Amino acid sequence: MTSPTGLSFRELHHRTAPLVLPNAWDVPSALAFVGAGFEAVGTTSFGVAAGHGRPDGGRSTRDANVALARALAPLPVHVSVDVEDGYSDDPDEVAAYVSTLAAAGTDVADVAGVNIEDSTDGTLIDPAAHAAKVAAVKRRCPEVFVNARVDTYWLGQDATVAATLERAARYVEAGADGVFVPGALEPAVLRELAAAVPVPLNVLAAPALSTAELAELGVRRVSTGSLPYRAALHAAVAVAEAVRGGGTVPDATPYPELQARLVDYASRLA
């Protein structure tokens, strides 16, 4: 699959401006991002887990992600799936799971990428174990863009540039196509990471730094993470409170527009 501009998912990481990847949690949110002109859509494990009444990070999204990948396969954009830690300690089981995702649609390129984190239940795992997962996935699904997530700064464990780069180097050597360092926010840290990591560096969007500023630091991909999901919940409560209190109701996408998107989506499934 290619983006509306004809570029592969990998090529979207090598343009002048970073790839801004919004993270969806269901079909309507993904359709909204597509409607806004985004060339690729990711998923958020937090949003998917929360939508099923479960906390993030407990391997609860395994089956839900397969269902979501199948549901997003008809979209005319690249899709990348957040698979937590791969839902297993066994590299071959992780690779088999990613293979299932990659074949969720009508061809093996329907899921263009996956995001795999090097922590389980809030604790960093041995980097050699995570590298083995990355290598297994790349052997079985070489066409899938593997974004190896380094959770040092996210968890506040070994949160130094040196420790982060040591982990990243192992994952790149194992075949990772990109490295994701959520929680790293300081410009000096991001500049050092981007200069030393030989594959596209992915970070979370941060209010203090614009996408243009992140690009100047060397960042090649900016993910929204769970922010859109959390913002949607905040907006929903604001609407209800405005109705209850007689205040001004916030703007919303018109019903006919959302309905039209879903009708078009349903036609793709026929």
Side-chain angles (χ1 to χ4, degrees), residues 236-250:
V237 173
V239 169
E241 289 181 334
V243 172
R244 179 178 64 185
T248 301
V249 176

Side-chain angles (χ1 to χ4, degrees), residues 7-22 38-40 115 145 147 177-181 184 189-205 209-224:
L7 298 177
S8 69
F9 188 58
R10 186 180 306 277
E11 290 170 334
L12 292 179
H13 292 76
H14 295 280
R15 297 181 298 181
T16 302
L19 167 64
V20 175
L21 188 72
F38 287 94
E39 300 168 283
N115 200 71
F145 188 103
N147 202 35
D177 302 287
V179 167
F180 183 22
V181 187
V189 169
L190 295 176
R191 188 183 300 278
E192 191 169 353
L193 291 175
V197 174
V199 295
L201 178 67
N202 180 198
V203 300
L204 280 176
L209 295 170
S210 68
T211 300
E213 289 171 326
L214 290 172
E216 291 178 358
L217 295 173
V219 172
R220 306 310 314 145
R221 172 166 153 183
V222 181
S223 299
T224 63

Side-chain angles (χ1 to χ4, degrees), residues 25 44 205 224-232:
W25 56 94
T44 161
T224 63
S226 65
L227 178 58
Y229 177 79
R230 292 182 285 111

Side-chain angles (χ1 to χ4, degrees), residues 31 74-76 258-270:
L31 290 175
L75 299 185
L258 291 179
Q259 178 72 346
R261 286 179 191 163
L262 290 168
V263 168
D264 178 70
Y265 170 77
S267 70
R268 295 173 182 271
L269 301 178

Side-chain angles (χ1 to χ4, degrees), residues 118 124 148-154 163-164 167-168 171 179-182:
D118 66 350
L124 291 174
R149 180 171 136 175
V150 184
D151 275 351
T152 48
Y153 284 91
W154 183 249
T164 301
R167 284 176 171 267
Y171 309 154
V179 167
F180 183 22
V181 187

Side-chain angles (χ1 to χ4, degrees), residues 71-265:
L72 299 184
L75 299 185
V77 297
H78 300 295
V79 173
S80 181
V81 179
D82 180 355
V83 299
E84 298 188 23
D85 66 347
Y87 308 110
S88 176
D89 298 327
D90 184 327
D92 290 333
E93 290 182 0
V94 174
Y97 177 79
V98 173
S99 179
T100 298
L101 285 179
T106 56
D107 63 70
V108 294
D110 280 320
V111 170
V114 292
N115 200 71
I116 308 177
E117 59 201 45
D118 66 350
S119 65
T120 299
D121 291 331
T123 301
L124 291 174
I125 66 172
D126 183 342
H130 192 63
K133 293 181 182 181
V134 171
V137 171
K138 291 304 295 184
R139 282 195 301 270
R140 184 151 182 172
C141 308
E143 75 287 349
V144 172
F145 188 103
V146 175
N147 202 35
R149 180 171 136 175
V150 184
D151 275 351
T152 48
Y153 284 91
W154 183 249
L155 298 175
Q157 299 171 17
D158 290 338
T160 66
V161 170
T164 301
L165 289 177
E166 181 178 353
R167 284 176 171 267
R170 286 176 176 248
Y171 309 154
V172 172
E173 184 178 1
D177 302 287
V179 167
F180 183 22
V181 187
L185 300 172
E186 295 296 327
V189 169
L190 295 176
R191 188 183 300 278
E192 191 169 353
L193 291 175
V197 174
V199 295
L201 178 67
N202 180 198
V203 300
L204 280 176
L209 295 170
S210 68
T211 300
E213 289 171 326
L214 290 172
E216 291 178 358
L217 295 173
V219 172
R220 306 310 314 145
R221 172 166 153 183
V222 181
S223 299
T224 63
S226 65
L227 178 58
Y229 177 79
R230 292 182 285 111
L233 292 181
H234 182 81
V237 173
V239 169
E241 289 181 334
V243 172
R244 179 178 64 185
T248 301
V249 176
D251 290 338
T253 305
Y255 174 94
E257 183 176 330
L258 291 179
Q259 178 72 346
R261 286 179 191 163
L262 290 168
V263 168
D264 178 70
Y265 170 77

